[in-house]
Amino acid sequence: MQVEHRPGAGETVLGSDVVTTPGGKGANQAVAAGRLGADVAFIGCVGDDAHGHLLRDSLTGAGVDVAGLRTLE
Protein backbone atom coordinates (compact mmCIF):
# COMPACT_ATOMS: atom_id res chain seq x y z
CA MET A 1 0.00 0.00 0.00
CA GLN A 2 1.28 3.45 -0.80
CA VAL A 3 0.68 6.48 1.38
CA GLU A 4 1.73 10.10 0.95
CA HIS A 5 3.65 10.08 4.23
CA ARG A 6 4.29 7.82 7.19
CA PRO A 7 1.49 8.27 9.74
CA GLY A 8 2.35 9.83 13.07
CA ALA A 9 1.10 8.47 16.40
CA GLY A 10 -2.70 8.30 16.32
CA GLU A 11 -2.89 9.71 12.79
CA THR A 12 -4.99 8.06 10.08
CA VAL A 13 -3.85 8.35 6.48
CA LEU A 14 -5.55 7.11 3.34
CA GLY A 15 -3.70 4.71 1.10
CA SER A 16 -3.92 3.79 -2.53
CA ASP A 17 -4.03 0.39 -4.19
CA VAL A 18 -3.01 -2.66 -2.20
CA VAL A 19 -0.72 -5.16 -3.94
CA THR A 20 -0.44 -8.74 -2.70
CA THR A 21 2.74 -10.58 -3.58
CA PRO A 22 3.82 -14.11 -2.66
CA GLY A 23 6.78 -14.59 -0.42
CA GLY A 24 8.28 -15.30 2.93
CA LYS A 25 11.92 -15.92 3.74
CA GLY A 26 11.98 -19.55 2.64
CA ALA A 27 9.76 -19.08 -0.39
CA ASN A 28 11.79 -16.09 -1.58
CA GLN A 29 15.01 -18.09 -1.32
CA ALA A 30 13.45 -21.06 -3.11
CA VAL A 31 12.22 -18.85 -5.96
CA ALA A 32 15.59 -17.12 -6.30
CA ALA A 33 17.47 -20.44 -6.40
CA GLY A 34 14.95 -21.94 -8.82
CA ARG A 35 15.26 -18.99 -11.18
CA LEU A 36 19.03 -19.45 -11.15
CA GLY A 37 18.57 -23.06 -12.26
CA ALA A 38 19.17 -24.89 -8.97
CA ASP A 39 17.25 -28.06 -8.08
CA VAL A 40 14.93 -26.81 -5.33
CA ALA A 41 12.12 -28.49 -3.43
CA PHE A 42 9.74 -26.64 -1.12
CA ILE A 43 8.12 -28.59 1.71
CA GLY A 44 5.32 -27.20 3.84
CA CYS A 45 1.64 -26.35 3.89
CA VAL A 46 -0.45 -23.62 2.31
CA GLY A 47 -4.11 -22.80 2.67
CA ASP A 48 -6.71 -23.62 0.02
CA ASP A 49 -7.30 -19.93 -0.64
CA ALA A 50 -6.09 -17.19 -2.97
CA HIS A 51 -2.88 -16.65 -0.97
CA GLY A 52 -2.02 -20.35 -0.99
CA HIS A 53 -2.67 -20.61 -4.73
CA LEU A 54 -0.59 -17.49 -5.36
CA LEU A 55 2.39 -18.92 -3.46
CA ARG A 56 2.13 -22.34 -5.14
CA ASP A 57 1.94 -20.72 -8.60
CA SER A 58 4.94 -18.51 -7.82
CA LEU A 59 7.05 -21.47 -6.71
CA THR A 60 6.01 -23.61 -9.66
CA GLY A 61 6.69 -20.77 -12.10
CA ALA A 62 10.24 -20.51 -10.76
CA GLY A 63 10.89 -24.21 -11.33
CA VAL A 64 10.60 -25.23 -7.67
CA ASP A 65 9.46 -28.79 -6.97
CA VAL A 66 6.26 -28.46 -4.92
CA ALA A 67 5.49 -32.18 -4.56
CA GLY A 68 6.01 -31.79 -0.79
CA LEU A 69 3.75 -28.74 -0.51
CA ARG A 70 0.41 -29.72 1.03
CA THR A 71 -2.76 -27.70 0.64
CA LEU A 72 -4.96 -27.52 3.77
CA GLU A 73 -8.55 -26.33 4.02
Side-chain angles (χ1 to χ4, degrees):
M1 175 177 297
Q2 293 183 347
V3 294
E4 288 185 19
H5 65 277
R6 184 176 176 174
E11 178 184 11
T12 299
V13 295
L14 297 177
S16 61
D17 296 330
V18 175
V19 177
T20 302
T21 57
K25 291 180 284 252
N28 291 344
Q29 289 179 22
V31 166
R35 287 180 179 171
L36 290 172
D39 289 331
V40 183
F42 196 83
I43 299 170
C45 298
V46 294
D48 189 16
D49 59 9
H51 296 288
H53 297 288
L54 180 64
L55 181 57
R56 181 181 292 276
D57 292 344
S58 173
L59 293 166
T60 302
V64 176
D65 176 1
V66 293
L69 185 62
R70 290 183 48 201
T71 300
L72 303 177
E73 290 185 31

